[in-house]
Amino acid sequence: QVHLVESGGGLVQPGGSLRLSCAASGSIFRINRMGYYRQAPGKQRELVAAITSGGSTSYADSVKGRFTISRDNAKNTVYLQMNSLKPEDTAVYYCNALIQPVGVFAGLDSWGQGTQVTVSS
């Protein structure tokens, strides 16, 4: 069994920064893609940023130039650095990873518990 544990959300003023972290634990053979989604009230969950095991990244147009995703493969951890935050970035942010457990041939789509990010003055 594998788990994703998130940290780093909170309340920040517009223009401020936050850093989210998400650590995977358990009997892990390999982690493929990792990423963050977000869901605002009344809206569908959307992909914010993703990173492959090789370090290739992709971003939603709304966060390009402001957010940076990175990962530490030795720590099985992904980070989302969020700068120049706007009120429209307010949402619950969910970590997501495709994890291949030891002894399992397929990857499991795993989710963190979610962390609230609120951008408000």
Side-chain angles (χ1 to χ4, degrees), residues 12-110:
V12 64
Q13 292 186 341
S17 298
L18 281 175
R19 189 192 196 207
L20 306 183
S21 300
C22 173
S25 63
S27 184
I28 297 171
F29 174 67
R30 178 168 52 208
I31 302 177
N32 296 310
R33 59 168 171 75
M34 304 185 82
Y36 276 93
Y37 287 72
R38 68 185 180 187
Q39 188 166 21
K43 295 188 176 181
Q44 289 188 327
R45 190 173 296 190
E46 63 174 352
L47 177 64
V48 176
I51 184 167
T52 67
S53 57
S56 296
T57 59
S58 59
Y59 298 92
D61 287 343
S62 58
V63 307
K64 282 180 181 177
R66 300 188 297 122
F67 290 11
T68 302
I69 191 168
S70 61
R71 63 190 283 174
D72 184 334
N73 291 329
K75 296 181 179 180
N76 291 333
T77 299
V78 63
Y79 306 97
L80 185 68
Q81 178 66 43
M82 305 185 292
N83 299 328
S84 302
L85 282 161
K86 305 175 181 180
E88 50 264 43
D89 294 318
T90 296
V92 178
Y93 284 69
Y94 296 92
C95 174
N96 172 259
L98 187 63
I99 300 175
Q100 185 177 354
V102 172
V104 179
F105 289 105
L108 301 180
D109 196 29
S110 305

